[in-house]
Amino acid sequence: MTTSIWKATAQKSNFPPLQGDITTDIAIVGGGITGITSAYLLARSGRKVVVLESGEVGGGTTGDSTGNLYSMIDKRLHHIQSKWDKETAGKVARSRTAAVDLIGELVRKYSIDCDFKRVPWYLFSETNKKDETIEKEIKAATDYGLQVEELQELPLPFSVSKAIKVEGQAQFNPAAFVKGLSQNINSGNCSIYEQSPVHHIEKGDKLVLSTPAGKVTANKVIMATHTPKGIYALQTALYPYREYAIAAKLRSGDFPDGIFWDTEAENHQSMRVYRKNGENYLLLLGGHHKVGQEDHYEKFFQRLEQKARKYFDIDRIDYKWSAQHYKPSDGLPFIGESADDNIFVATGFSTDGLTYGVLSAMIFDDLLNDRGNRWAKTYDAGRFTPIKSAKTFIKENINVAKQYLKDLPGKSEVDSLTEVKPGEGKVIEIDNEKWAVYRDDEGKVHSHSAVCTHMDCIVDWNDAERTWDCPCHGSRFKTTGEVIEGPAYSPLDKRKMISKE
Ligand SMILES: Cc1cc2nc3c(=O)[nH]c(=O)nc-3n(C[C@H](O)[C@H](O)[C@H](O)COP(=O)(O)OP(=O)(O)OC[C@H]3O[C@@H](n4cnc5c(N)ncnc54)[C@H](O)[C@@H]3O)c2cc1C
C-alpha cells in the first residue's frame, strides 16, 4: 500500500456529508490547502461559504506533498526572468513570500500543531555541470530582497560543487496545517462537508452543484480541485506529471534542517527531515514522469530507496507514496476567473502549490470582495501567452495527440483474459472496444471500459498504485472505476464484458 507520512499519521476530521439542498454565496469545491485557506479568508471577510470535499480535508495532493514552503520556484526564478521579465519574476518571489508569511501568522494565531518551522532552502549541483544554473539563480534571488548566500559545501554526506542558500523559508506538516485551519474557520459563515463529491455544476445566473445526497446553489464557485473538473480550454496549457516519495526511518545519524533540492540528480530530487516523537525520517522525493506513460512504476520507488540507503543509515522505509502536479505552459500558475462566468480556478502550480494555493486564496479574497490585488494580473487565468507558451504547448500537445493513437483498432496489451495475472491490470480489445481489466489477488476479474470519461483517451495500468491513469490530462481511477483525481467527473464505465477467457 502507498500512503504518505502525513496522511498515515493525520487525525481524522469529521465534517458531515451534505444531505439536502442549501444555498450559499460562494461554493468551494475541494478541501485542500487552496480550498480551506480560501474558505478561511472569505468567511473572515464576512462572506457565506460552503466547502464540498469529495474525501477528507487535506486528503488530496496537499497531504501527499513534501511540506516545504519557499519564495523560490521549481522552474527557477531566472527562467521566469528570461521567459517573462524581471518585474514578473519579482512579483512571483514577493507574492510567494507573502503567502509563506500568512501561513506562519495563521499557525501562530491558532497555535496549529503542524510542526511549522523556519528553515533555509538550498539548491545545489553535485558536479560543475549545473554550476551555471546555480549562479543564475543566486543572481535572480538577490534581485528580490531575499537573503542569499553562495556555498561550496553542505552538511550532506556527499560533496557538492556549488549551492545557493536562501534564509527564512519554512517547513510544516501540510495535512495537519489544513486540518488545523479548517477547525478555526468562522463557523457562522462557513460549512464544510466531507465525502461530498461534486459530480456536476449547472451553469446559469446561479450555479448549482450536485453531490450524491444534496445540491448547493451559489453565486460564485471556486474550483479548488488542483486541476479544474470537466472540460476547459485551459487544460491544453496544463501538463500532468507524477512524482515519487519515500519516508525512510533513520537508524542512526540525522539529517540537517532545511529544504534541499538536488538540481543534478535524475529529474531533480528533494530532501528534508521530519522529526516526530523521537523518530527521525528522511523524506526523499523525485523521479517525475508524465501521468500514465510508463511501463513499470514501482522502479521509481526502488531508485529512491537505493539512493537513501547509499548515503544514510536507513532502518526501514515506513511510507512511500506518489502524487501528481500540473505544469503550466508559460511557467506561471492560472489563478482567477475562468472562461465560465463566476467560476474561479487555481491550477498549474507545478510542485510549488502549497504556497501558490495560499496565494490563490489571498487573491480570491480580494477579487471576490471587489478589492484590488497587486498580483492578480500576473496569474490571471484568462491570459493568452502564445509566444511564452509555444515551445511547451506544442511539445506537450503532440504528446497528448500520440496518446489518442492507442485507441486505434488492433492495439491490445494481451489477447485473452487468462494472460492477466493476479494483481495485474491490462488493456484488452474485444470487438473493437478497449477494456481495462484487473484481476485481483483472489483471481476475480474486474472490467471497465478503458475509455477515460474526461476526453476519451485510453487509460494505462499503474502497477505501483494499482490504478488506471489517463495519459492525456491526468485523470486517475480506482480498480473499481471510481475517480481518484484529475479533471474527470465520472467513473470508468462498468458495462458487462463478453468474456475472452
Ligand atoms: C510529490 C509532490 C510533492 C510536493 N511538494 C510540495 C512542497 O513541498 N511544497 C509546495 O509548495 N508544493 C508541493 N507540491 C505541490 C502541492 O502539493 C500542490 O500544488 C498543492 O497541494 C495543491 O493544493 P490544492 O488544495 O490546490 O489541491 P489538493 O490538495 O489536491 O486539493 C484538492 C481537493 O479537491 C478535492 N476534489 C477533487 N475533485 C472533487 C470533486 N469533484 N468534488 C469535491 N471535491 C473534489 C480532492 O479530494 C482534494 O482534497 C508537491 C506536489 C507533489 C506532486
Side-chain angles (χ1 to χ4, degrees), residues 46-68:
R47 306 300 293 267
K48 296 282 180 209
V49 183
V50 164
V51 178
L52 296 168
E53 164 54 52
S54 61
E56 208 179 304
V57 159
T61 315
T62 298
D64 282 334
S65 68
T66 327
N68 292 327

Side-chain angles (χ1 to χ4, degrees), residues 292 403 405-408 410-417 419-420 424-430 432-439 446-452 457-462 467-471 492 497 500:
Q403 304 314 312
L405 296 179
K406 292 183 187 157
D407 196 15
L408 291 179
K411 288 200 174 257
S412 183
E413 285 180 315
V414 286
D415 293 326
S416 82
L417 292 181
E419 290 175 62
V420 185
E424 229 178 41
K426 294 277 182 203
V427 172
I428 180 166
E429 186 176 281
I430 300 174
N432 292 329
E433 263 195 82
K434 300 276 192 299
W435 293 89
V437 177
Y438 166 65
R439 191 184 290 279
H446 305 259
S447 58
H448 295 84
S449 163
V451 180
C452 175
C457 209
I458 298 298
V459 295
D460 186 65
W461 176 245
N462 176 332
T467 55
W468 295 105
D469 298 356
C470 177
L492 291 177
M497 187 174 66
K500 212 181 176 189

Side-chain angles (χ1 to χ4, degrees), residues 257-313:
D257 281 338
I259 301 163
F260 290 85
W261 283 5
D262 184 343
T263 186
E264 204 161 318
E266 187 195 12
N267 293 324
H268 172 96
Q269 279 175 351
S270 167
M271 283 173 258
R272 67 164 286 190
V273 70
Y274 181 60
R275 302 189 182 86
K276 197 72 185 169
N277 304 329
E279 315 270 32
N280 292 348
Y281 286 98
L282 165 72
L283 271 57
L284 180 59
L285 288 93
H288 92 173
H289 63 79
K290 282 290 298 266
V291 174
Q293 296 191 20
E294 287 291 325
D295 289 335
H296 298 292
Y297 295 76
E298 191 60 38
K299 68 175 180 240
F300 294 101
F301 288 122
Q302 288 161 359
R303 286 182 193 157
L304 291 175
E305 182 169 349
Q306 275 161 12
K307 168 125 185 202
R309 290 194 186 279
K310 182 169 172 193
Y311 292 111
F312 300 93
D313 183 17

Side-chain angles (χ1 to χ4, degrees), residues 208-273:
V208 183
L209 297 83
S210 302
T211 73
K215 287 184 179 173
V216 176
T217 303
N219 299 318
K220 312 265 181 203
V221 168
I222 295 177
M223 192 90 84
T225 45
H226 202 197
T227 188
K229 303 296 283 188
I231 296 177
Y232 282 86
L234 183 60
Q235 276 143 357
T236 58
L238 289 174
Y239 315 116
Y241 283 80
R242 278 198 91 67
E243 209 166 304
Y244 294 78
I246 56 171
K249 189 163 161 282
L250 294 173
R251 188 174 7 236
S252 65
D254 201 356
F255 188 86
D257 281 338
I259 301 163
F260 290 85
W261 283 5
D262 184 343
T263 186
E264 204 161 318
E266 187 195 12
N267 293 324
H268 172 96
Q269 279 175 351
S270 167
M271 283 173 258
R272 67 164 286 190
V273 70

